[in-house]
Amino acid sequence: MNDNPSVAIIGVGPKGLYAFERLVAEFAAIEPGRQLIVHLIHRDALFGTSPIYHPELPDYIVLNNAVGDINMWGTRPPAPVGGPGPTFVSWYNEMLAPDVAITDADYLDRAAVGRYLTAGFKRILKHLPQGLDVKCHVGEAIDVDARDGRYRIEIEKPDGRKAGVRADLILLATGHTPRLPDREADKHREFAARHSNARFIESAYPIVERLRAVQPGHRVAIRGIGLTFIDAVVEMTEGRGGTFIRRQDGSLSYRRSGREPEVILPFSRAGLPPVPKAKDLSLALRPLRFCSRSVLERYRRCGDGAKVDFDKEVLPLVELEFEREYYRRVLIDGDWSRRLDACGDDGSRQRDVIRAYHAAFPDAQPFDWKALLDPIETRTFATGREYHEFVSEYLAHEIQQAKDGHAKSPAKAAIDLWYEVRCSLETLLGFGGFTPESHERLQKYHFPRFHRVVFGPPVINSEKILALTRAGLIDFGVAIDPSIAMDGDNGLFILRSEHTGDCPVSADVLLDARVPDVDIERDATRLIRNLRSKGMIRSFENCSVSREGQGYRPGAIDMSRGTQFVITRYGEINEDVAVVGIPTENNRVGNKTLVPGEYPGRWARQVIAQVFPDLARVTGARAADGSGA
């Protein structure tokens, strides 16, 4: 290393911010007299946040998670510079002084989270330890070159000028990045370019800016019926001056402003909106009995090099977890409850007790978790209107289930165990523990279905969607996997769904509201494309054990286990470059949360050990005793 070592963090959204905070804390904890330069490279001047948490977002764009687990400071040593910082809840109550103090269970606007993160970043800068030189660069990192044992990072500034910085170590924290358009998107863009009345919007974010193209009276088709869809709908209604009114029966109604689109036509493969979260969803993870981390770790250790099949080996354990949670809540007390508890982790005994219970009470509702994931699997719909009415009733039912919460809805309590299950699954999913075929099915089939029913919006947002559906502003008539044609004579997009009568519906605007999955081979950013072309990074591949079968590439950057150093095209671990967050998704899980997690602390200790080798024993001891692990 040079006398003045330097580190660069590319992307200072939440994940980059957490890493920066831990690095500053680790540097402050070592003996004085050292020197370190930290380059922070971010697309705009709002260091610490990202477009989905932009501090100027309107207040009706809200979080999809309760705010109780947002804390950028953590509790593990070394302490943050300037002392322990506030959690989001304490910061909000102190700084914004709401009339009623917020609690951990509240859902708030994303702009407030952005202000919290940027305030935290400024707080760090005010307490920098002596010897730490932090340089903030506003612009897009577009290339990296290895030169003389160091790296030159090329940055394009907002005005188009180029600049370069040198660093010994790099952390890639680039977050969500756009993907190269597919052939269908190219056709839609070209069609809109040829027809002045047609609009094709390739991404919903930044949401206010992108949706300015939607004018009053437009018919808007939206691909994707997830959380981004909800943001877009609220922006085009409440954001245009419309108001939601609480009726005496507790439901919401909608009063038009006249500035809304004529109609919004959502569609997706499943054709269903996301399910709202339970009002009493706990921030703490519930313990698992059949597929806990320790159980799945034994699967991996005992596999003797073999890989695990999710559907055959793990899904049956997940089913047992669901059943135990459901019947534990149905059989609240008495002999049946004691018999269920006595089963322990014996799944066969548990099934025997459940069968005996239903034999004794044949009218009792059996638990069917698959029906919760796909309530239309066995149903047919003759017309779009029939399906639209079904979705309206379905949404109303799920809203009530969410309001009842886990305490009154055993089925919701059971299916929500997927939160805990998903965390355990990383034990096997990460670094190819599942077979390639199983990994692909888990990512493309199971994850989307569970995501819709478990990781949904707060109740208020589902209530808004229902109100707009009942008001006729949202029409689900072609929601199930329609075909998209283009009417060149009239400049319209034409949607048909064979699942709901195949009746054509037209739209002036086509909005893609899907969040693109990670895929570095199709990443549109110049940085990732240049790193790939130079062989500095490669895609992670889950290979078959024999190496003769078909492997699976889930889209993530290949990296080393634990340290998350990138792996080059030639299979070499580059300890100078690490990666965190979204680019590792589908090799890891849970990257889209605002919780800092363990890695920022681990990375910061790695950096100190690398730039100051004589201190490696100190940072290693801190890792060994569990502090900051």
Side-chain angles (χ1 to χ4, degrees), residues 435-466:
T435 65
E437 300 81 9
S438 183
H439 189 169
E440 183 172 10
R441 180 168 168 79
L442 185 61
Q443 181 179 324
K444 294 183 178 180
Y445 180 83
H446 292 295
F447 277 170
R449 283 159 176 77
F450 279 108
H451 192 278
R452 189 186 70 79
V453 300
V454 176
F455 299 101
V459 169
I460 182 62
N461 273 357
S462 290
E463 289 184 299
K464 290 178 179 180
I465 296 301
L466 179 59

Side-chain angles (χ1 to χ4, degrees), residues 234-502:
V234 173
E235 171 59 30
M236 290 186 290
T237 54
E238 189 173 4
R240 304 287 177 90
T243 53
F244 291 95
I245 302 166
R246 185 72 65 181
R247 292 170 168 160
Q248 288 188 342
D249 65 0
S251 66
L252 283 187
S253 65
Y254 181 73
R255 179 182 296 161
R256 296 173 184 248
S257 69
R259 296 165 54 205
E260 302 90 347
E262 177 187 333
V263 69
I264 296 168
L265 305 161
F267 65 96
S268 68
R269 287 184 180 178
L272 287 165
V275 169
K277 289 184 173 72
K279 69 171 186 179
D280 54 357
L281 185 67
S282 174
L283 293 176
L285 295 177
R286 290 172 284 178
L288 299 175
R289 179 166 291 181
F290 298 102
C291 57
S292 64
R293 281 184 178 269
S294 58
V295 169
L296 298 187
E297 282 170 359
R298 289 200 297 272
Y299 265 74
R300 190 155 195 166
R301 288 199 303 269
C302 298
D304 193 27
K307 299 198 175 194
V308 177
D309 186 300
F310 174 79
D311 286 86
K312 292 180 180 178
E313 299 175 77
V314 178
L315 187 57
L317 304 180
V318 178
E319 292 177 333
L320 289 171
E321 294 284 7
F322 288 162
E323 290 170 0
R324 177 178 176 273
E325 184 68 12
Y326 177 83
Y327 287 100
R328 187 177 69 82
R329 291 173 180 272
V330 170
L331 311 175
I332 297 175
D333 52 30
D335 181 58
W336 287 106
S337 177
R338 289 189 290 273
R339 289 171 65 180
L340 186 67
D341 287 341
C343 296
D345 59 0
D346 189 330
S348 296
R349 284 184 63 193
Q350 176 174 296
R351 290 273 169 83
D352 289 341
V353 169
I354 292 170
R355 279 192 290 268
Y357 167 73
H358 281 291
F361 301 94
D363 293 334
Q365 181 70 32
F367 178 57
D368 184 359
W369 65 271
K370 293 180 181 178
L372 297 176
L373 295 185
D374 190 356
I376 63 174
E377 182 178 18
T378 59
R379 296 194 55 167
T380 58
F381 302 91
T383 65
R385 173 50 52 183
E386 182 182 341
Y387 183 66
H388 177 84
E389 294 300 330
F390 167 81
V391 172
S392 180
E393 293 172 6
Y394 172 73
L395 257 180
H397 174 267
E398 292 300 329
I399 288 169
Q400 188 57 54
Q401 291 288 297
K403 288 181 175 180
D404 289 344
H406 291 175
K408 295 182 180 179
S409 177
K412 195 160 188 66
I415 202 70
D416 277 353
L417 268 180
W418 184 256
Y419 276 100
E420 289 77 3
V421 169
R422 192 189 68 156
C423 291
S424 287
L425 285 181
E426 185 169 352
T427 303
L428 287 172
L429 182 140
F431 302 93
F434 286 117
T435 65
E437 300 81 9
S438 183
H439 189 169
E440 183 172 10
R441 180 168 168 79
L442 185 61
Q443 181 179 324
K444 294 183 178 180
Y445 180 83
H446 292 295
F447 277 170
R449 283 159 176 77
F450 279 108
H451 192 278
R452 189 186 70 79
V453 300
V454 176
F455 299 101
V459 169
I460 182 62
N461 273 357
S462 290
E463 289 184 299
K464 290 178 179 180
I465 296 301
L466 179 59
L468 294 168
T469 300
R470 287 173 169 170
L473 264 167
I474 296 178
D475 184 350
F476 282 94
V478 291
I480 310 176
D481 199 20
S483 63
I484 307 174
M486 288 163 281
D487 178 356
D489 293 334
N490 299 295
L492 297 172
F493 298 97
I494 306 298
L495 283 69
R496 293 176 182 265
S497 174
E498 63 181 20
H499 303 277
T500 53
D502 203 31

Side-chain angles (χ1 to χ4, degrees), residues 69-84:
D69 59 355
I70 302 176
N71 180 9
M72 65 167 284
W73 306 104
T75 58
R76 290 170 172 162
V81 292

Side-chain angles (χ1 to χ4, degrees), residues 4-200:
N4 294 311
S6 58
V7 180
I9 299 176
I10 300 178
V12 194
K15 290 291 191 289
L17 173 63
Y18 301 153
F20 173 58
E21 186 278 322
R22 285 294 80 198
L23 180 59
V24 174
E26 288 285 351
F27 184 84
I30 66 176
E31 62 192 37
R34 306 277 178 162
Q35 299 288 323
L36 179 64
I37 301 170
V38 179
H39 295 285
L40 302 178
I41 304 168
H42 198 52
R43 285 176 177 268
D44 56 47
L46 292 171
F47 287 79
T49 190
S50 63
I52 61 173
Y53 303 111
H54 196 287
E56 295 181 6
L57 279 171
D59 58 8
Y60 47 79
I61 303 296
V62 301
L63 289 166
N64 295 309
N65 296 92
V67 297
D69 59 355
I70 302 176
N71 180 9
M72 65 167 284
W73 306 104
T75 58
R76 290 170 172 162
V81 292
T87 66
F88 174 79
V89 171
S90 60
W91 173 86
Y92 189 95
N93 286 328
E94 179 181 351
M95 298 299 296
L96 303 182
D99 293 337
V100 178
I102 67 167
T103 69
D104 288 355
D106 284 322
Y107 293 81
L108 297 179
D109 55 291
R110 291 190 206 161
V113 175
R115 292 194 288 273
Y116 169 72
L117 295 172
T118 53
F121 175 73
K122 293 174 182 177
R123 185 179 190 272
I124 297 170
L125 295 185
K126 288 181 180 178
H127 296 90
L128 292 178
Q130 187 174 3
L132 188 66
D133 184 8
V134 175
K135 301 179 183 296
C136 298
H137 307 274
V138 176
E140 179 186 0
I142 59 176
D143 202 359
V144 175
D145 279 323
R147 296 183 182 180
D148 302 323
R150 305 185 79 191
Y151 297 90
R152 183 186 184 277
I153 304 168
E154 185 176 6
I155 303 169
E156 184 174 274
K157 295 181 175 295
D159 62 5
R161 290 183 299 116
K162 301 290 197 331
V165 300
R166 296 190 180 277
D168 299 293
L169 303 175
I170 296 172
L171 177 66
L172 299 173
T174 50
H176 287 286
T177 53
R179 282 168 53 167
L180 294 171
D182 55 24
R183 293 178 66 182
E184 186 178 28
D186 286 337
K187 291 179 181 178
H188 294 155
R189 188 188 314 102
E190 292 167 3
F191 178 78
R194 293 196 309 269
H195 297 84
S196 60
N197 58 311
R199 305 282 189 277
F200 176 53

